[in-house]
Amino acid sequence: MADPTEPSANQAASLADQTLCIARSMAPADGFASLTVPIHRASTIVFPDAEAYLNRNNHGPDSYSYGLHGTPTNRTLEAQIAALEGGAHALVVPSGLSAITLVLAAFLKPGESVLVPDTVYPPVRSFCDQYLTSVGITTTYYDPLLGASIAELIDASVRLILVESPGSTTMEVQDVPAIVAAAKARGVLVACDNAWATPLLFKPLAHGADFAIEAVSKYMGGHSDLLMGSVAVTDFTLFTRLKDAFKLWGLGVSPDDCSLALRGLETLAVRLERSGAAANDLAHWLQDQTGIERVLYPPLLDSPGHAEWRRDFHGASGVFTVVIEQRYAPVIPTALSRLRLFAIGASWGGTRSIVAPMDIASARTVRPWNGGLSLLRFSIGLECIDDLKADLKRLLIGLSAKT
Ligand SMILES: *Cc1c(COP(=O)(O)O)cnc(C)c1O
């Protein structure tokens, strides 16, 4: 069938310049092949005839109907994420946060409830407390380390359990298989926020979760220039419901951003390996330094959930949290300003090493945090480790200098 956007050569000869500015022919792609994924930008998607247009929504969740719902660039990325997750389907959404809120909004109804770890990414807590509450959906926060005894919290109203492993800032690795087993026994869905590990270091679907959620903004994008999230599933019915909700909410992801994510994925394995190795060295070194009370990082023996990490994960990424001794807490801001390489900021997982002072007191209700402003969350990037260590020494000197 002829491409409806292209005038034939005969037509072109008789068209006015004003029309020829718009009605162009596509150069034939025969003989052209490259290693890159084309960026297909589109709002309007065109159809060969009226019938095809009228039936545009009847070809399944991955068909092309409107640019908002995705182009071949989006689908290529989604297929690659589905493959990495070991799932059958994936959907990209505008942020990691929207990936989580979409799952919550799509699968919870008024009167139902969701179990959420106390260590959840704080904006998700706000969504639960402000939005879900307002529509009659209850959130019960639980101790991230409770494992199989989560069964005691599963009453008839519970429809979904969220896990985030390791937990935000305090890095508790959860017993996901035990939580999944308790959920399955009661017909409850499990969604896993896998931002720290990425599908390379932990595969939620292989451990029985129904939804594998990634903050593509972090390691998968990998260059601090992109915001995106993804949800992967095995079950087609879950996927259809998710995609329906995605359309209802008017969500969409630009193919340009998908192109950046596709490029980021190509180096994900080497970046993670390099960041993880450097983070492992620095975390071990830091825990013996003056002024450091503790380092929270799953590969460390005394980090919460270390045994589960060793059992279930294929390695560690480059994010860890340092607990500074309380007496040094007041000088942390001035000590941080001595750093020359580490940038101060959030949304980790890029090439540049960053650090963020964390205030988590208001983000914990089950296990209160009494440590004040003594937490520094680090994301180790791809710089030379000797330079990073020299920078951290400046920070450590800054801690002891003024007390
Ligand atoms: C950053 C992050 C998110 C959200 O990702 P955005 O793309 O920034 O919205 C969700 N969960 C965790 C654990 C994160 O660290």
Side-chain angles (χ1 to χ4, degrees), residues 85 96-97 99-101 103 117 119-124 142 161-168 172 174 176 190-198 202 204 209 211-216 218 230 313 348:
E85 300 278 15
L97 178 58
I100 301 163
T101 58
V103 170
T119 44
V120 70
Y121 178 62
V124 173
Y142 67 88
I161 299 174
L162 183 66
V163 298
E164 178 186 324
S165 182
S168 282
E172 295 85 349
Q174 297 195 250
V176 174
V190 177
C192 178
D193 179 343
N194 199 40
W196 182 83
T198 83
F202 182 71
F211 305 95
I213 300 175
E214 308 292 342
V216 179
K218 306 279 173 55
S230 65
F313 286 60
W348 39 264

Side-chain angles (χ1 to χ4, degrees), residues 368-391:
W369 173 255
N370 299 316
L373 296 173
S374 60
L375 294 172
L376 293 180
R377 188 187 59 203
F378 286 91
S379 172
I380 304 304
L382 301 179
E383 304 91 337
C384 171
I385 189 168
D386 298 335
D387 292 332
L388 293 177
K389 199 179 268 189
D391 212 31

Side-chain angles (χ1 to χ4, degrees), residues 4 39 41 57 68 90 106 123 129 144 158-159 168 180 187 195 236 316 351 385:
I39 301 174
R41 295 196 186 96
N57 290 317
L68 189 61
D129 295 348
V158 175
R159 169 86 176 115
S168 282
V180 164
F236 184 71
T351 58
I385 189 168

